[in-house]
Amino acid sequence: DVQLVESGGGSVQTGGSLKLSCQASKYIFAACENSWFRQRPGKEREFVARFNEDGTTTYADSVQGRFTISRAPAKPIVYLQMNTLETDDTAVYYCAVRGDCTSSYCRCDRGIIGTHWGQGTQVTVS
């Protein structure tokens, strides 16, 4: 298994910025996807951004151009830089890893592929 811990959430004014971090307990960059999701009040969890298996990135239309997903160069940390925040960005943000995480690192090339979630971090924009 893998443990994922998000941090960096908080309260910010409209137009402000926040940078979220997702610290993993093992190497995750060989997994199928490293992603950020969010759950806005009263709504279902939705996709925000991800690294695909080939290293490319994909963003939800609602955050394209404002949010940037990145990785630490030598640590199992995924970031989400959020700029020009809007009130509609208020949500609990979750990081997720999709892959086989039963060995010493998460991988995508074999095994039982599952999705692993962090506990979430609250972002409030007002």
Side-chain angles (χ1 to χ4, degrees):
D1 200 1
V2 60
Q3 282 70 53
L4 304 171
V5 179
E6 301 96 335
S7 61
S11 297
V12 64
Q13 292 186 336
T14 301
S17 298
L18 281 175
K19 187 174 184 178
L20 306 183
S21 300
C22 173
Q23 171 78 59
S25 60
K26 60 177 69 173
Y27 183 79
I28 57 172
F29 300 151
C32 305
E33 295 168 0
N34 300 155
S35 306
W36 286 95
F37 286 76
R38 69 185 181 187
Q39 188 162 15
R40 294 186 278 183
K43 297 189 177 182
E44 295 188 352
R45 194 172 298 187
E46 61 182 359
F47 164 74
V48 175
R50 70 169 176 259
F51 276 104
N52 302 305
E53 186 181 2
D54 61 1
T56 59
T57 56
T58 303
Y59 294 92
D61 289 344
S62 59
V63 307
Q64 180 76 48
R66 300 188 298 121
F67 290 11
T68 303
I69 189 171
S70 62
R71 294 167 170 168
K75 299 178 181 179
I77 302 174
V78 180
Y79 300 106
L80 185 68
Q81 176 68 48
M82 307 185 295
N83 297 329
T84 320
L85 283 161
E86 304 167 355
T87 55
D88 281 349
D89 295 319
T90 294
V92 178
Y93 285 73
Y94 300 88
C95 67
V97 172
R98 190 173 74 87
D100 174 7
C101 297
T102 57
S103 66
S104 58
Y105 67 99
C106 296
R107 59 196 300 173
C108 191
D109 58 338
R110 66 180 187 185
I112 300 174
I113 304 299
T115 300
H116 308 268
W117 298 91
Q119 83 290 345
T121 185
Q122 175 71 48
V123 171
T124 302
V125 185
S126 61

